[in-house]
Amino acid sequence: MRRALALALWLACATAAAQPQTLTPLPDRPPAPDFALVDAEGKEHRLSDYRGQVVLVNFWATWCPPCRREMPSMQRLWEALRGTDFRMLAVDVGEDDETVFSFIFALDTAIEFPMLLDRDGKVTERWPVIGLPTSFLVDRSGRLAYRAIGGRDWDDPALVESIRELMAE
Amino acid sequence: MAARRLLRALGALAVIGPLHAAADELAPINPAPGAQTWSWEAEGISVRLTQILPDQLRGFYLARGFGADAAERIARACVFQTVIRNAGAGQTVDIDLHRWRTLAGGDRQPLEIKEDWLAQWEAEGAPPHARLAFRWALFPTTHTFRTGDWNMGMTFTGRPPAASFDLEVEFAVGERIVRGTITGLQCAAGTARQGAGAS
């Protein structure tokens, strides 16, 4: 019985890992719209302050299932690239700090990267976001280099390699 | 003790759904018990539609600032959690939900798209934060999927509760148009909340 369960779990994980993880390069790399948003602790983050670093900007909401699902893999990516020029900003769309706090505390994974609040959705409107989640990789010059629509396994080796290549530019 | 651990592990599996669903990122997370799912796949495009039960819709939209009557209208709009993916079409896949149709007994109707609902909420003075949640929760009306892109959102069919219908879908794959019909869809059955009007 235990062996059967282990096999079933392995199959589930193996098939999940088989999903291709892709990033779409953005032609001409348009400039990333700057923003200044506070995080869940009230600290302001301005995107342009991260110029010279590669930044993953992720637009999400607590009620969005694929957003919730990709969050632990974002934390693993954050840990994998700790100590490099990589930064991550998760922008919650249209919710208050209490809602976001409740979500973070309910997660099994401790989230260490900044969770910013776009309470009125105005920052999100200025970005080419169609649905949630959508993520962008901003290059060292502050340009939109890649986009990912829908959730990703962010610690997938192919995605980590793409980010490392962007940092190496 | 080992048996208890095993039961707990099996319980966790039950929460995340059948194994196939657990392994498939297109699977809706925590579909309500009894909610049915329909799938369609062609030329590297996949579509999955899962019923959202009226009570789920009421709860979701009431919690985001809509009034009881507005939430009731949404609950009766036959809403599906819709997941579309460009899983390997090899080219960009474009959708325009204006072109999708529901079909029941010779009656062919367009989907109810988010822009029309948003205009209605604005005219009725729904709170901005409620409109914002509505806007992001619905599937985008037009969308371009590059390889590997996928999206999840609510689609409103406007069919009555428990109605059966087919759904005609259309995609532009590069320069080509791909059409298909998802047959035998059924709106979730639901009862009006106590005290709500039927309108």
Side-chain angles (χ1 to χ4, degrees), chain A residues 72-89:
Chain A
S73 75
M74 290 171 63
Q75 173 62 26
R76 292 194 296 273
L77 173 65
W78 175 257
E79 290 167 9
L81 296 180
R82 203 193 298 275
T84 69
D85 280 346
F86 176 70
R87 296 291 177 268
M88 193 184 290
L89 300 171

PDB file of all heavy atoms in Angstrom, chain A residues 72-89:
ATOM      1  N   PRO A  72       5.000  29.396  -4.119  1.00  0.00           N
ATOM      2  CA  PRO A  72       6.127  28.681  -3.499  1.00  0.00           C
ATOM      3  C   PRO A  72       7.331  28.530  -4.434  1.00  0.00           C
ATOM      4  O   PRO A  72       8.479  28.613  -3.985  1.00  0.00           O
ATOM      5  CB  PRO A  72       5.526  27.319  -3.138  1.00  0.00           C
ATOM      6  CG  PRO A  72       4.061  27.590  -2.972  1.00  0.00           C
ATOM      7  CD  PRO A  72       3.742  28.621  -4.015  1.00  0.00           C
ATOM      8  N   SER A  73       7.075  28.344  -5.724  1.00  0.00           N
ATOM      9  CA  SER A  73       8.214  28.203  -6.647  1.00  0.00           C
ATOM     10  C   SER A  73       8.928  29.540  -6.823  1.00  0.00           C
ATOM     11  O   SER A  73      10.140  29.573  -7.076  1.00  0.00           O
ATOM     12  CB  SER A  73       7.757  27.644  -7.994  1.00  0.00           C
ATOM     13  OG  SER A  73       7.093  28.619  -8.775  1.00  0.00           O
ATOM     14  N   MET A  74       8.203  30.646  -6.662  1.00  0.00           N
ATOM     15  CA  MET A  74       8.866  31.957  -6.704  1.00  0.00           C
ATOM     16  C   MET A  74       9.799  32.112  -5.508  1.00  0.00           C
ATOM     17  O   MET A  74      10.897  32.647  -5.634  1.00  0.00           O
ATOM     18  CB  MET A  74       7.810  33.071  -6.727  1.00  0.00           C
ATOM     19  CG  MET A  74       7.048  33.140  -8.041  1.00  0.00           C
ATOM     20  SD  MET A  74       5.639  34.279  -7.979  1.00  0.00           S
ATOM     21  CE  MET A  74       6.438  35.835  -7.673  1.00  0.00           C
ATOM     22  N   GLN A  75       9.349  31.644  -4.347  1.00  0.00           N
ATOM     23  CA  GLN A  75      10.205  31.717  -3.170  1.00  0.00           C
ATOM     24  C   GLN A  75      11.470  30.858  -3.369  1.00  0.00           C
ATOM     25  O   GLN A  75      12.577  31.270  -3.018  1.00  0.00           O
ATOM     26  CB  GLN A  75       9.434  31.257  -1.924  1.00  0.00           C
ATOM     27  CG  GLN A  75      10.278  31.141  -0.659  1.00  0.00           C
ATOM     28  CD  GLN A  75      10.898  32.465  -0.202  1.00  0.00           C
ATOM     29  OE1 GLN A  75      10.380  33.541  -0.498  1.00  0.00           O
ATOM     30  NE2 GLN A  75      12.029  32.385   0.510  1.00  0.00           N
ATOM     31  N   ARG A  76      11.288  29.676  -3.980  1.00  0.00           N
ATOM     32  CA  ARG A  76      12.461  28.815  -4.225  1.00  0.00           C
ATOM     33  C   ARG A  76      13.420  29.484  -5.207  1.00  0.00           C
ATOM     34  O   ARG A  76      14.634  29.385  -5.060  1.00  0.00           O
ATOM     35  CB  ARG A  76      12.010  27.438  -4.736  1.00  0.00           C
ATOM     36  CG  ARG A  76      11.272  26.610  -3.685  1.00  0.00           C
ATOM     37  CD  ARG A  76      11.139  25.159  -4.107  1.00  0.00           C
ATOM     38  NE  ARG A  76      10.326  24.987  -5.299  1.00  0.00           N
ATOM     39  CZ  ARG A  76       8.995  24.855  -5.312  1.00  0.00           C
ATOM     40  NH1 ARG A  76       8.327  24.875  -4.159  1.00  0.00           N
ATOM     41  NH2 ARG A  76       8.334  24.702  -6.441  1.00  0.00           N
ATOM     42  N   LEU A  77      12.875  30.166  -6.207  1.00  0.00           N
ATOM     43  CA  LEU A  77      13.731  30.901  -7.146  1.00  0.00           C
ATOM     44  C   LEU A  77      14.491  32.001  -6.412  1.00  0.00           C
ATOM     45  O   LEU A  77      15.693  32.196  -6.617  1.00  0.00           O
ATOM     46  CB  LEU A  77      12.859  31.507  -8.258  1.00  0.00           C
ATOM     47  CG  LEU A  77      13.578  32.448  -9.231  1.00  0.00           C
ATOM     48  CD1 LEU A  77      14.626  31.700 -10.047  1.00  0.00           C
ATOM     49  CD2 LEU A  77      12.562  33.125 -10.163  1.00  0.00           C
ATOM     50  N   TRP A  78      13.763  32.707  -5.564  1.00  0.00           N
ATOM     51  CA  TRP A  78      14.360  33.791  -4.760  1.00  0.00           C
ATOM     52  C   TRP A  78      15.546  33.246  -3.940  1.00  0.00           C
ATOM     53  O   TRP A  78      16.609  33.859  -3.877  1.00  0.00           O
ATOM     54  CB  TRP A  78      13.275  34.346  -3.850  1.00  0.00           C
ATOM     55  CG  TRP A  78      13.682  35.378  -2.849  1.00  0.00           C
ATOM     56  CD1 TRP A  78      13.876  35.200  -1.517  1.00  0.00           C
ATOM     57  CD2 TRP A  78      13.930  36.762  -3.102  1.00  0.00           C
ATOM     58  NE1 TRP A  78      14.216  36.383  -0.915  1.00  0.00           N
ATOM     59  CE2 TRP A  78      14.260  37.362  -1.868  1.00  0.00           C
ATOM     60  CE3 TRP A  78      13.896  37.555  -4.242  1.00  0.00           C
ATOM     61  CZ2 TRP A  78      14.554  38.713  -1.753  1.00  0.00           C
ATOM     62  CZ3 TRP A  78      14.198  38.908  -4.124  1.00  0.00           C
ATOM     63  CH2 TRP A  78      14.515  39.468  -2.898  1.00  0.00           C
ATOM     64  N   GLU A  79      15.342  32.080  -3.362  1.00  0.00           N
ATOM     65  CA  GLU A  79      16.408  31.466  -2.560  1.00  0.00           C
ATOM     66  C   GLU A  79      17.566  31.004  -3.447  1.00  0.00           C
ATOM     67  O   GLU A  79      18.737  31.152  -3.086  1.00  0.00           O
ATOM     68  CB  GLU A  79      15.851  30.281  -1.758  1.00  0.00           C
ATOM     69  CG  GLU A  79      14.924  30.717  -0.630  1.00  0.00           C
ATOM     70  CD  GLU A  79      14.119  29.570  -0.041  1.00  0.00           C
ATOM     71  OE1 GLU A  79      14.391  28.398  -0.395  1.00  0.00           O
ATOM     72  OE2 GLU A  79      13.202  29.848   0.758  1.00  0.00           O
ATOM     73  N   ALA A  80      17.233  30.456  -4.604  1.00  0.00           N
ATOM     74  CA  ALA A  80      18.278  29.935  -5.500  1.00  0.00           C
ATOM     75  C   ALA A  80      19.184  31.056  -6.005  1.00  0.00           C
ATOM     76  O   ALA A  80      20.365  30.830  -6.255  1.00  0.00           O
ATOM     77  CB  ALA A  80      17.634  29.207  -6.684  1.00  0.00           C
ATOM     78  N   LEU A  81      18.624  32.257  -6.157  1.00  0.00           N
ATOM     79  CA  LEU A  81      19.415  33.355  -6.730  1.00  0.00           C
ATOM     80  C   LEU A  81      19.800  34.396  -5.674  1.00  0.00           C
ATOM     81  O   LEU A  81      20.206  35.507  -6.007  1.00  0.00           O
ATOM     82  CB  LEU A  81      18.649  34.011  -7.877  1.00  0.00           C
ATOM     83  CG  LEU A  81      18.387  33.104  -9.088  1.00  0.00           C
ATOM     84  CD1 LEU A  81      17.619  33.838 -10.177  1.00  0.00           C
ATOM     85  CD2 LEU A  81      19.693  32.560  -9.654  1.00  0.00           C
ATOM     86  N   ARG A  82      19.663  34.020  -4.427  1.00  0.00           N
ATOM     87  CA  ARG A  82      20.049  34.930  -3.336  1.00  0.00           C
ATOM     88  C   ARG A  82      21.529  35.299  -3.496  1.00  0.00           C
ATOM     89  O   ARG A  82      22.346  34.465  -3.859  1.00  0.00           O
ATOM     90  CB  ARG A  82      19.839  34.230  -1.995  1.00  0.00           C
ATOM     91  CG  ARG A  82      19.670  35.178  -0.820  1.00  0.00           C
ATOM     92  CD  ARG A  82      19.780  34.436   0.491  1.00  0.00           C
ATOM     93  NE  ARG A  82      18.767  33.424   0.704  1.00  0.00           N
ATOM     94  CZ  ARG A  82      17.552  33.667   1.213  1.00  0.00           C
ATOM     95  NH1 ARG A  82      17.204  34.886   1.537  1.00  0.00           N
ATOM     96  NH2 ARG A  82      16.714  32.671   1.407  1.00  0.00           N
ATOM     97  N   GLY A  83      21.846  36.526  -3.258  1.00  0.00           N
ATOM     98  CA  GLY A  83      23.247  36.952  -3.340  1.00  0.00           C
ATOM     99  C   GLY A  83      23.667  37.374  -4.743  1.00  0.00           C
ATOM    100  O   GLY A  83      24.818  37.718  -4.975  1.00  0.00           O
ATOM    101  N   THR A  84      22.742  37.333  -5.687  1.00  0.00           N
ATOM    102  CA  THR A  84      23.049  37.789  -7.050  1.00  0.00           C
ATOM    103  C   THR A  84      22.347  39.133  -7.291  1.00  0.00           C
ATOM    104  O   THR A  84      21.712  39.675  -6.381  1.00  0.00           O
ATOM    105  CB  THR A  84      22.546  36.776  -8.101  1.00  0.00           C
ATOM    106  OG1 THR A  84      21.108  36.795  -8.098  1.00  0.00           O
ATOM    107  CG2 THR A  84      23.037  35.362  -7.789  1.00  0.00           C
ATOM    108  N   ASP A  85      22.429  39.598  -8.529  1.00  0.00           N
ATOM    109  CA  ASP A  85      21.767  40.864  -8.885  1.00  0.00           C
ATOM    110  C   ASP A  85      20.319  40.638  -9.297  1.00  0.00           C
ATOM    111  O   ASP A  85      19.793  41.370 -10.148  1.00  0.00           O
ATOM    112  CB  ASP A  85      22.518  41.536 -10.048  1.00  0.00           C
ATOM    113  CG  ASP A  85      23.738  42.265  -9.564  1.00  0.00           C
ATOM    114  OD1 ASP A  85      23.853  42.478  -8.337  1.00  0.00           O
ATOM    115  OD2 ASP A  85      24.588  42.607 -10.389  1.00  0.00           O
ATOM    116  N   PHE A  86      19.689  39.655  -8.746  1.00  0.00           N
ATOM    117  CA  PHE A  86      18.306  39.351  -9.104  1.00  0.00           C
ATOM    118  C   PHE A  86      17.365  39.843  -8.000  1.00  0.00           C
ATOM    119  O   PHE A  86      17.637  39.649  -6.808  1.00  0.00           O
ATOM    120  CB  PHE A  86      18.148  37.838  -9.283  1.00  0.00           C
ATOM    121  CG  PHE A  86      16.732  37.404  -9.550  1.00  0.00           C
ATOM    122  CD1 PHE A  86      16.117  37.699 -10.757  1.00  0.00           C
ATOM    123  CD2 PHE A  86      16.013  36.704  -8.589  1.00  0.00           C
ATOM    124  CE1 PHE A  86      14.818  37.294 -11.004  1.00  0.00           C
ATOM    125  CE2 PHE A  86      14.720  36.296  -8.822  1.00  0.00           C
ATOM    126  CZ  PHE A  86      14.113  36.594 -10.038  1.00  0.00           C
ATOM    127  N   ARG A  87      16.286  40.490  -8.396  1.00  0.00           N
ATOM    128  CA  ARG A  87      15.288  40.954  -7.444  1.00  0.00           C
ATOM    129  C   ARG A  87      13.911  40.497  -7.895  1.00  0.00           C
ATOM    130  O   ARG A  87      13.690  40.204  -9.069  1.00  0.00           O
ATOM    131  CB  ARG A  87      15.306  42.488  -7.328  1.00  0.00           C
ATOM    132  CG  ARG A  87      16.600  43.042  -6.766  1.00  0.00           C
ATOM    133  CD  ARG A  87      16.787  42.688  -5.299  1.00  0.00           C
ATOM    134  NE  ARG A  87      18.051  43.153  -4.762  1.00  0.00           N
ATOM    135  CZ  ARG A  87      19.177  42.448  -4.733  1.00  0.00           C
ATOM    136  NH1 ARG A  87      19.201  41.217  -5.244  1.00  0.00           N
ATOM    137  NH2 ARG A  87      20.275  42.942  -4.222  1.00  0.00           N
ATOM    138  N   MET A  88      12.985  40.466  -6.988  1.00  0.00           N
ATOM    139  CA  MET A  88      11.643  40.008  -7.305  1.00  0.00           C
ATOM    140  C   MET A  88      10.621  40.904  -6.610  1.00  0.00           C
ATOM    141  O   MET A  88      10.774  41.209  -5.420  1.00  0.00           O
ATOM    142  CB  MET A  88      11.492  38.562  -6.809  1.00  0.00           C
ATOM    143  CG  MET A  88      10.272  37.855  -7.335  1.00  0.00           C
ATOM    144  SD  MET A  88      10.131  36.214  -6.601  1.00  0.00           S
ATOM    145  CE  MET A  88      11.495  35.381  -7.364  1.00  0.00           C
ATOM    146  N   LEU A  89       9.623  41.351  -7.353  1.00  0.00           N
ATOM    147  CA  LEU A  89       8.563  42.172  -6.782  1.00  0.00           C
ATOM    148  C   LEU A  89       7.232  41.558  -7.187  1.00  0.00           C
ATOM    149  O   LEU A  89       6.934  41.444  -8.381  1.00  0.00           O
ATOM    150  CB  LEU A  89       8.651  43.613  -7.318  1.00  0.00           C
ATOM    151  CG  LEU A  89       9.952  44.380  -7.034  1.00  0.00           C
ATOM    152  CD1 LEU A  89       9.975  45.690  -7.821  1.00  0.00           C
ATOM    153  CD2 LEU A  89      10.114  44.661  -5.543  1.00  0.00           C
TER     154      LEU A  89
END
